[in-house]
Amino acid sequence: PPRSTQGVSSAASDVYKRQIWSVRLETRRTKDAKILQSKLENGVPETYVELPGIVAPGMIASVMSCAGSWHGSIALMDKAVLARPPLMMLEKMLDFTAVDVLAPNEKCSVHSEIVSLDEPNFATVKMEMTIGGHEKDDEESNSTSGNKNRSNYTSKKTVCARAIMRFKKIGAVRSIS
């Protein structure tokens, strides 16, 4: 629950509002069991723009790191037949390439695939962030206001970024809530 910001300066209040935002990735297994898809339905907020209308590549890498860490955890859980996934952290970013820009609040998804699983503690994950390829929202398409971006109007996917990251197990199990 948000705490009161009464009596707090405007700048401090803005900082607090930024801190309560979370990535809110929704991850699902795909038909190909080796690939997971993480969707970011609300996109990345305007707070994280580098230039007007362009999300900072560092934030894109952070979203991809979250998706990759989760996939590495799921892969280690499956391999070791654990009840819950282990806690993992980014050990090394082997490659990151920003291919296209991502607009604030633009729907996007991250497809991740395990490149190698070095039991019991390491997972290397290859990821691709795409924009578009989402179903058109008729209500939003008919609207003349609101954020009109390419993901609302196209069924074609555009690659935004690619990455290969290595994750290390740092804890026994994740807290799942």
Side-chain angles (χ1 to χ4, degrees), residues 143-158:
S143 172
T144 57
S145 63
N147 181 17
K148 294 185 187 259
N149 54 48
R150 62 189 153 192
S151 64
N152 292 334
Y153 301 101
T154 183
S155 60
K156 185 178 178 184
K157 290 184 182 182
T158 303

Side-chain angles (χ1 to χ4, degrees), residues 45-90:
E46 291 182 27
T47 306
Y48 299 100
V49 297
E50 181 172 45
L51 298 169
I54 300 174
V55 172
M59 188 59 197
I60 294 171
S62 294
V63 169
M64 294 177 83
S65 176
C66 290
S69 172
W70 183 245
H71 193 167
S73 294
I74 295 294
L76 286 179
M77 177 186 78
D78 290 348
K79 186 90 172 173
V81 192
L82 300 172
R84 295 190 305 181
L87 181 61
M88 298 189 81
M89 65 172 259
L90 177 64

Side-chain angles (χ1 to χ4, degrees), residues 6-28:
Q6 185 176 8
V8 178
S9 73
S10 176
S13 178
D14 288 346
V15 169
Y16 176 71
K17 287 176 187 171
R18 280 187 232 132
Q19 290 174 342
I20 62 172
W21 178 81
S22 68
V23 175
R24 295 189 182 134
L25 282 169
E26 184 178 304
T27 304
R28 301 269 187 248

Side-chain angles (χ1 to χ4, degrees), residues 25-39:
L25 282 169
E26 184 178 304
T27 304
R28 301 269 187 248
R29 292 181 192 253
T30 62
K31 291 177 184 176
D32 181 349
K34 293 186 285 182
I35 298 174
L36 291 184
Q37 180 182 25
S38 301
K39 290 185 179 181

